[in-house]
Structures are given as structure tokens and as C-alpha cells.
Amino acid sequence: MCRSFVSLFIFVLVGLSHATTTNRDATMVMICDKLGLTFYTAAELTTIAKCIEPQFYKTPNNNTAILSVGKNCILSNSGNKALQAMSLYSNANNCLSPDSLDTVVTKLVPPIQTMTSTLVNKVKTTLSDCKKTNTQTADAKQETCLQKTYGVAKAAITLTYVDNTCKKVVNQHVSSAWWTCGKKYIPSVIKMDKYNCSKIVKA
Ligand SMILES: *[C@@H]1O[C@H](CO)[C@@H](O)[C@H](O)[C@H]1NC(C)=O
Ligand SMILES: *[C@@H]1O[C@H](CO)[C@@H](O)[C@H](O)[C@H]1NC(C)=O
């Protein structure tokens, strides 16, 4: 009895340590712990990420498709936070009016992509190399290639990297009206004071 309990315990421990050591899971933990995302737990982020992955895997270069699937994944996988997410989305839209969160995101993606192109290319090259060379069956191949991609992304994205990108984006591409809304609503999602970017004052 006792021995089977102990082996069950070990089995669970091994299972848990395996579950928390995939690159996907580690990336989500990094986003929460290091980058300061507070709105979702790492486990919730993992669910959302898994929802977006098939589209990202299929069309890594189609931002329109990824953003549209991403938005649906966020809204439909927010569980008990769906109401909060919807209300934040609608408050942000009201604040940004006559613009909307969608138009602002759509406008900011190209400059952010240019600024982060070295990193983004590295991540996308990892994925496309894996898609070309991996010989597993479709599902196993997708999972292996995504895990590799997460590994590269996790190593490259640091707090300072995000802060520097944020500073450039806000200084060059964010209007003072947008920034007023950003300062009002971003802290509901992320620990903004971790970033020097949050200190930017727009005239
Ligand atoms: C990108 O995705 C959108 C939405 O799914 C689609 O309408 C569009 O044709 C795609 N663009 C390209 C270049 O494949
Ligand atoms: C913010 O600026 C300070 C002083 O220059 C610097 O030490 C710190 O690393 C910066 N924070 C981030 C997140 O890069």
C-alpha cells in the first residue's frame, strides 16, 4: 500500500516536472514572471497559445490571419476572465475612439515587426527549417517544430529587449491620445512599471 503510494507520488512528480519543462510552458512562465504579464496565468496563456498555434504554424507570415485568430482565441479562451477581457477591450475602444484597438494594433504591427525583424526572422527561420527537415507525422512534427520555435523565442526575448522596443514604438508611432489610453489600460494587463517605457510623457 505504502509502496504503491510512493510510486504514485514519484509518478506524479515526474509527470509534473515533465509538464512544466516544455519550451511552450517555460515561455508562458517567462512572460508572466519576467515580462510582468498579470492578466493571465501562465497556464491560461498556454491554452490561448495552443489555440493560435495551428494558424501561426500554417501561415507564419500572414499577420492578418494570425491577429484575427489570436483575437478570437483570447476572447474564447479567457475562461472566468472573458467578461473582464471583453470589458477591457470595450473600454480601450471607447478611450481610443474614433480609432479602435484593432486599428491601433493593425497600425503598430508593421513598425514593431521592422524593429524586431532580427528576432522575428530568427524565430521564423527556426520554424521553417524545422518544417522542411522534420520527418515525423504531421501532429508530432508540428509540436516538435513549435517547441523548437518557443525555445528560440524564450532565449531571445528579455525585459530590456521589450522595454527598448516599447520606447521606440511609443516615441515614433504612438500618438499622445493613444498613449493616454495605453497608460490607463495597459496596467490592467501587465506590470507596466517594470518598464522605463512607462515613464514616457507625450506632449
Ligand atoms: C492572409 O489571411 C487572410 C485572412 O485569413 C486572407 O484573407 C488572406 O488572403 C491571406 N493573405 C495571404 C497573402 O495569403
Ligand atoms: C531602465 O533604465 C535603467 C537606467 O538606465 C536601467 O538600469 C534598467 O535596466 C532599465 N530597465 C529595463 C527594463 O531595461
Side-chain angles (χ1 to χ4, degrees):
M1 179 60 195
C2 182
R3 208 168 69 191
S4 67
F5 188 77
V6 167
S7 43
L8 178 68
F9 185 64
I10 289 167
F11 185 72
V12 167
L13 266 189
V14 169
L16 279 179
S17 66
H18 175 73
T20 52
T21 51
T22 73
N23 285 334
R24 178 192 293 106
D25 291 321
T27 300
M28 303 315 152
V29 168
M30 184 276 288
I31 291 172
C32 294
D33 292 357
K34 288 223 186 90
L35 303 185
L37 188 94
T38 52
F39 192 80
Y40 295 107
T41 64
E44 289 166 340
L45 272 188
T46 297
T47 306
I48 293 168
K50 280 184 171 168
C51 171
I52 304 172
E53 282 169 9
Q55 187 65 51
F56 171 71
Y57 184 76
K58 225 185 306 171
T59 66
N61 295 313
N62 189 333
N63 289 330
T64 313
I66 295 170
L67 284 176
S68 145
V69 168
K71 197 177 102 184
N72 283 333
C73 287
I74 289 171
L75 293 178
S76 59
N77 288 282
S78 293
N80 57 358
K81 281 172 191 157
L83 226 69
Q84 243 175 301
M86 284 297 275
S87 116
L88 196 57
Y89 181 64
S90 119
N91 285 338
N93 278 332
N94 286 337
C95 184
L96 291 164
S97 172
D99 292 317
S100 68
L101 192 57
D102 287 14
T103 57
V104 170
V105 169
T106 303
K107 276 186 196 154
L108 293 182
V109 165
I112 291 173
Q113 234 185 353
T114 307
M115 285 170 203
T116 58
S117 63
T118 306
L119 189 153
V120 171
N121 286 341
K122 206 165 131 188
V123 168
K124 284 187 185 171
T125 305
T126 305
L127 181 63
S128 73
D129 286 350
C130 183
K131 280 167 85 167
K132 270 182 230 149
T133 56
N134 188 285
T135 55
Q136 290 170 282
T137 55
D139 284 357
K141 176 177 170 175
Q142 177 173 322
E143 181 62 13
T144 301
C145 292
L146 287 169
Q147 289 292 356
K148 268 193 190 163
T149 307
Y150 276 121
V152 170
K154 178 168 63 80
I157 301 168
T158 63
L159 187 65
T160 298
Y161 180 84
V162 177
D163 194 22
N164 287 337
T165 308
C166 176
K167 284 192 275 192
K168 278 189 231 161
V169 174
V170 172
N171 282 324
Q172 297 169 21
H173 299 279
V174 171
S175 70
S176 123
W178 290 1
W179 191 227
T180 301
C181 298
K183 282 185 160 174
K184 190 166 173 193
Y185 292 110
I186 293 169
S188 332
V189 178
I190 197 162
K191 281 184 195 136
M192 206 177 170
D193 55 10
K194 283 183 101 142
Y195 297 88
N196 295 320
C197 181
S198 67
K199 296 175 193 137
I200 293 175
V201 176
K202 306 264 317 179

